[in-house]
Amino acid sequence: MIKLGIIITFASARAALGWSNLRPRAAPRKLLVHKFAPSASPVNINSSLERSLTIPSAAASGGAVKPLNTASKAAKFVLSAVKKLVAFLPRLLFRAVFRRRMAAGALASGAWSLDFTNSSMAGDWRAVDDRIMGGSSRSRVAYSDGDGVTNFQGELVVEGGGFASARYDKELVLPSDTKALELEARGDGRLGYKVTLTTSVIPGGVSYQALLPILDSAEFTTVRLPLSSFKPSQQGRPVPGAPALEASNVRLLGLMLSRYEIGGEGVKESIQPGGFRLQLRRLSAK
């Protein structure tokens, strides 16, 4: 009787307090998610991914169980991005090497040249005149439709400066076995035209200069310029102790009309001011 009374009393208390609908809380369950991707290439970061995620039970979450959470989606996105990056890197490196070799004329040293009969060539040059040091000379590189060549032209003013020049905007990479440059050009009877080369070895405005002979306007002439004939100069002054010019170090190309001797060895009194024009057909590496 006593036991029966205790049971009845306990049942009545549960009913009164609303305990009849309570259930013991289930322990959290672990959902093990496996994802396997077959190896499609030698580099496959996501070849196997195993992650253990702890989620509430169905009873504790109202009957809805979500197999993946936000963190797992973010991890999946990051892994996918890294895999794509690793797959793209070899192609990026290949393109850089390929462009470098093409720019260097890697097929053959005799194959490298600049074609000044191409009308787009003039757009790759910009003026660098003595106005940077207070002079008033002016130059430009322009294509001549009538002659089918590119002109280096302008006006030389000797007061306050004394040079007019233009620089090729693209990086110049000569074949490493280049011994000389050959320029096919036609002049105006002037003395003082130069071809200038700048290297990666000596920074700070040092250029190597070679003087062109007097070229008349009757016909085009091919002038050979051995690299050994280029002399270093900086702002019209010689550069003692500068290393010999090597083709593998050349980076920039320029054209100049100057009253100064090559290598900064003084002033040529025979260089007259006034208008000038040097017509260019081709520059080749030999």
Side-chain angles (χ1 to χ4, degrees), residues 6 10 38 47 58 60 72 77 140 151 159 164 168 188 192 234 268:
I6 293 174
F10 182 73
S47 61
S72 68
F77 174 79
R140 69 189 184 100
N151 295 332
E159 293 82 8
Y168 188 51
D188 52 7
Q234 183 178 33
K268 276 187 174 295

Side-chain angles (χ1 to χ4, degrees), residues 122-183:
D124 296 329
W125 292 77
R126 63 185 174 91
V128 186
D129 299 320
D130 57 11
R131 287 175 291 172
I132 63 175
M133 52 185 292
S136 54
S137 299
R138 294 181 180 275
S139 69
R140 69 189 184 100
V141 175
Y143 181 75
S144 173
D145 290 319
D147 297 318
V149 295
T150 299
N151 295 332
F152 169 52
Q153 61 192 36
E155 183 177 4
L156 178 68
V157 179
V158 297
E159 293 82 8
F163 71 89
S165 68
R167 181 178 298 168
Y168 188 51
D169 267 341
K170 295 183 178 180
E171 183 181 27
L172 185 70
V173 185
L174 296 174
S176 59
D177 60 349
T178 300
K179 302 301 181 184
L181 297 179
E182 287 189 356
L183 178 65

Side-chain angles (χ1 to χ4, degrees), residues 184-241:
E184 190 177 356
R186 183 167 63 185
D188 52 7
R190 274 181 169 276
L191 183 65
Y193 287 112
K194 302 175 184 178
V195 173
T196 66
L197 299 173
T198 305
T199 73
S200 58
V201 177
I202 308 179
V206 176
S207 65
Y208 289 77
Q209 304 177 355
L211 184 67
L212 297 180
I214 295 177
L215 301 173
D216 60 35
S217 58
E219 59 184 11
F220 280 87
T221 302
T222 299
V223 180
R224 184 177 177 86
L225 303 171
L227 296 189
S228 59
S229 67
F230 285 77
K231 295 184 179 181
S233 174
Q234 183 178 33
Q235 296 180 355
R237 296 187 295 271
V239 184

Side-chain angles (χ1 to χ4, degrees), residues 49-91:
L49 175 64
E50 181 174 320
R51 184 177 297 274
S52 178
L53 304 172
T54 301
I55 62 173
S57 65
S61 59
V65 180
K66 297 181 180 180
L68 296 175
N69 58 17
T70 303
S72 68
K73 293 180 181 178
K76 183 178 179 181
F77 174 79
V78 171
L79 286 173
S80 176
V82 171
K83 185 168 69 172
K84 291 179 180 178
L85 178 62
V86 171
F88 179 72
L89 281 177
R91 287 187 292 172

